[in-house]
Amino acid sequence: MNHTTKENLKTHAGLLFVSLIFGTNYVFTKIIMLDVSPTFWTFYRALIATLTLLPFVLRSPVLQELKYPRIWIAGALGIVCNQLFFTEGLKRTTPSHSSLINACIPATTLVISILAKTEKWSHRKAIGVICAVGGVSVLIFSRTPHSVIAATQTIGDLLTIANVLSFSIFLVISLPLARKYSALAIKGFYFLEGTFLLALYLLAHYALAPATETQTAWQHDFLAWRNAPLTTHAMMLFVATFASSVTYALNNWAL
């Protein structure tokens, strides 16, 4: 077995592990949001991932990229837009729909790469993209019409598609950075930026959210998180570490 073959096997093994962990991500996140609001959970997830990866950021020259817009755009798309669209979409749709739609990320990334002229078009690639788009279309338009639940799930599917688009664009524009810096360092910076932007989003959300007679929106979310079952806290830590920092870093390493 030559060196190239070994490297390909390592890369695909890493991506297989990413897929397995992401599979649990859909189910765990759906359960988590029964106790914790999507907005609070998105910020919590980014914060824990940032704390996990921050040491790698501080030891890396990745911070020299701060003067270039590419790294800021990548962080906003890959963390903020991706996570907000994902959680808000999953809140409204089913884990199976969310996972199947997100499975279109490779096909969407391929189309964007071709538009960016980093990939070349072929008949085989065209067939793959058509199959992916056709599958998602069947999912979205096969529900019972004029149903409130169906309408809500359709909105969730559309938000998930927005998540797919944001993450696909992120993969394309972040490729040069992924090749230049270590996976843990570059992903740590993305989460650091994302945590800051999500904190601003969270503050704006609480400022605009109406308060009840007994508590404000942030008090409600904090109490819901504090009073959540131990199993929910365990799932939150698992998703925030393995399904965020570890899998995202492995994805970057594979790139």
Side-chain angles (χ1 to χ4, degrees):
M1 186 181 294
N2 59 38
H3 177 72
T4 302
T5 303
K6 288 181 179 179
E7 287 300 308
N8 285 338
L9 286 175
K10 286 167 59 178
T11 301
H12 285 90
L15 289 173
L16 177 61
F17 181 77
V18 168
S19 297
L20 291 173
I21 297 299
F22 269 144
T24 65
N25 179 36
Y26 299 102
V27 179
F28 284 2
T29 300
K30 190 73 172 181
I31 296 172
I32 288 167
M33 288 190 295
L34 296 175
D35 299 304
V36 182
S37 75
T39 308
F40 183 89
W41 160 238
T42 303
F43 171 74
Y44 174 95
R45 178 177 181 175
L47 177 62
I48 297 299
T50 299
L51 295 175
T52 305
L53 296 172
L54 188 59
F56 300 97
V57 178
L58 298 178
R59 294 201 300 264
S60 168
V62 67
L63 296 178
Q64 68 186 13
E65 296 285 340
L66 300 187
K67 56 187 175 182
Y68 301 112
R70 178 187 293 269
I71 195 169
W72 296 100
I73 296 171
L77 288 172
I79 303 300
V80 181
C81 295
N82 169 43
Q83 288 301 311
L84 283 175
F85 287 139
F86 172 75
T87 52
E88 292 292 345
L90 184 55
K91 178 184 176 182
R92 294 165 175 82
T93 191
T94 62
S96 59
H97 271 226
S98 181
S99 61
L100 288 170
I101 293 172
N102 275 289
C104 291
I105 287 176
T108 310
T109 305
L110 171 62
V111 173
I112 295 171
S113 297
I114 291 170
L115 294 175
K117 297 182 178 180
T118 58
E119 290 268 3
K120 292 184 178 180
W121 193 254
S122 71
H123 294 301
R124 183 176 296 179
K125 292 175 181 178
I127 293 171
V129 170
I130 291 170
C131 289
V133 173
V136 170
S137 300
V138 170
L139 277 178
I140 294 176
F141 297 111
S142 63
R143 292 194 175 100
T144 304
H146 310 302
S147 165
V148 174
I149 296 177
T152 300
Q153 290 181 341
T154 299
I155 292 173
D157 288 347
L158 293 174
L159 287 170
T160 307
I161 291 173
N163 158 58
V164 168
L165 290 172
S166 65
F167 195 71
S168 296
I169 297 171
F170 157 76
L171 289 176
V172 173
I173 67 174
S174 67
L175 181 57
L177 296 171
R179 289 174 172 165
K180 190 174 181 181
Y181 300 103
S182 77
L184 292 171
I186 189 66
K187 188 53 67 172
F189 175 80
Y190 292 148
F191 272 110
L192 181 62
E193 177 195 349
T195 300
F196 174 73
L197 294 177
L198 286 169
L200 296 178
Y201 178 84
L202 193 66
L203 290 174
H205 169 76
Y206 288 148
L208 297 174
T212 65
E213 295 181 359
T214 57
Q215 57 186 204
T216 60
W218 77 264
Q219 288 174 321
H220 174 272
D221 282 359
F222 177 77
L223 290 174
W225 167 76
R226 191 183 69 178
N227 296 329
L230 184 60
T231 52
T232 299
H233 284 283
M235 284 187 285
M236 290 175 73
L237 287 174
F238 175 84
V239 173
T241 51
F242 281 91
S244 296
S245 54
V246 174
T247 52
Y248 276 62
L250 272 175
N251 206 47
N252 253 48
W253 170 80
L255 279 173

